[in-house]
Amino acid sequence: MTPDPDPPARDSAPPPRRAAVPLTKEPEEPREPAEPGPPEDHAPPPNPTAGEGDRGHRTHRPWSARRLPATLVASVILVAAVAALVDVVAVRAGRPAAAWRRHLTDALATRPVDDVWMLTGAAVAAAVGVWLIVLALTPGLRHWLPLRSPSPRLRASLDRNGTAALLRDAAMRVPGVGKARIRVRRHRVKTRADVRFRDPQQVKDDLTAALDEERDRLALARPPRIVVRMRQRTN
């Protein structure tokens, strides 16, 4: 039998291994805010329908496209330009000028300035020019009433007939009013109401208050003035 080998000495044992640590930076934990404020400290977003939103942004009446006047003016200019161009081309080709152009040239050269036809033509031309200037400087669409808007980029309008219908519904809800006729203008709302029962003055006061409330609810940019006229009906 062979003797067992002697156990290794304690001092000759290999040194313990150290765990290898990767040289990477550990991610930092998210830091909390130092002094977080309570949620009620944050101001709520502004409400355009409350407080100052009731006044809103004053909008203007939308501009009309002016399709009919532009079409008429463009058609007249086009016809005159084509006729003159055709006659000039014919003259350049060796043909005589058209009779209408010769007559027009002679009339402009021989008639005095105070002639009736010259004054009439000048008045017509001036009227057309003033009409075109007015169309260019005014928005048109007088049948639409602009509404208040919380933003200058947002524009809205209400038809006069729709405004009259809403005001008429509010007038018919007043006790004592049997019939109401309402006409909406730019600056005034004319109301004619028939009183079936109750005191006419009391009905007028209630009707004026109801119409004022409904008008303010419509949020018109330029609220018209309410004018109420009563007529008592017994039949």
Side-chain angles (χ1 to χ4, degrees):
M1 296 180 60
T2 57
D4 295 333
D6 296 334
R10 292 180 178 268
D11 53 358
S12 61
R17 297 182 180 180
R18 295 181 180 180
V21 180
L23 299 178
T24 56
K25 187 177 180 180
E26 297 181 1
E28 299 179 359
E29 297 180 359
R31 297 180 179 178
E32 297 181 357
E35 295 180 358
E40 57 269 9
D41 291 343
H42 299 282
N47 187 4
T49 59
E52 301 210 354
D54 293 339
R55 292 177 292 180
H57 178 75
R58 292 181 64 88
T59 58
H60 301 279
R61 194 165 67 246
W63 283 75
S64 174
R66 312 289 190 186
R67 293 184 178 89
L68 182 59
T71 302
L72 292 177
V73 174
S75 300
V76 172
I77 294 176
L78 180 62
V79 170
V82 169
L85 181 60
V86 170
D87 190 64
V88 169
V89 171
V91 171
R92 292 294 183 180
R95 297 180 182 180
W100 65 269
R101 194 158 72 96
R102 293 197 304 267
H103 179 72
L104 179 61
T105 303
D106 296 339
L108 293 176
T110 57
R111 289 181 181 272
V113 180
D114 57 351
D115 186 72
V116 177
W117 290 104
M118 297 292 290
L119 295 177
T120 303
V124 171
V128 172
V130 172
W131 177 56
L132 293 177
I133 292 175
V134 170
L135 291 180
L137 298 179
T138 55
L141 298 179
R142 300 174 64 88
H143 202 66
W144 293 90
L145 301 176
L147 303 179
R148 291 196 302 267
S149 174
S151 173
R153 297 183 180 180
L154 180 62
R155 293 184 180 181
S157 301
L158 185 62
D159 184 38
R160 287 189 184 182
N161 294 334
T163 305
L166 293 175
L167 294 176
R168 188 180 301 109
D169 293 341
M172 295 303 297
R173 289 193 294 266
V174 176
V177 176
K179 185 179 181 181
R181 294 176 296 277
I182 296 179
R183 299 182 63 182
V184 179
R185 302 298 183 185
R186 291 185 60 187
H187 304 289
R188 287 191 303 175
V189 176
K190 297 181 179 181
T191 304
R192 295 179 180 270
D194 296 341
V195 181
R196 297 294 181 179
F197 56 93
R198 297 179 64 198
D199 183 19
Q201 185 60 37
Q202 187 177 2
V203 174
K204 182 178 180 179
D205 296 340
D206 294 345
L207 179 59
T208 303
L211 292 178
D212 288 339
E213 182 181 359
E214 186 67 22
R215 178 201 57 188
D216 297 339
R217 190 178 301 174
L218 296 177
L220 297 175
R222 299 174 181 85
R225 184 168 57 92
I226 303 295
V227 178
V228 178
R229 294 182 180 180
M230 308 299 296
R231 184 173 56 177
Q232 191 171 6
R233 291 282 187 175
T234 57
N235 52 355

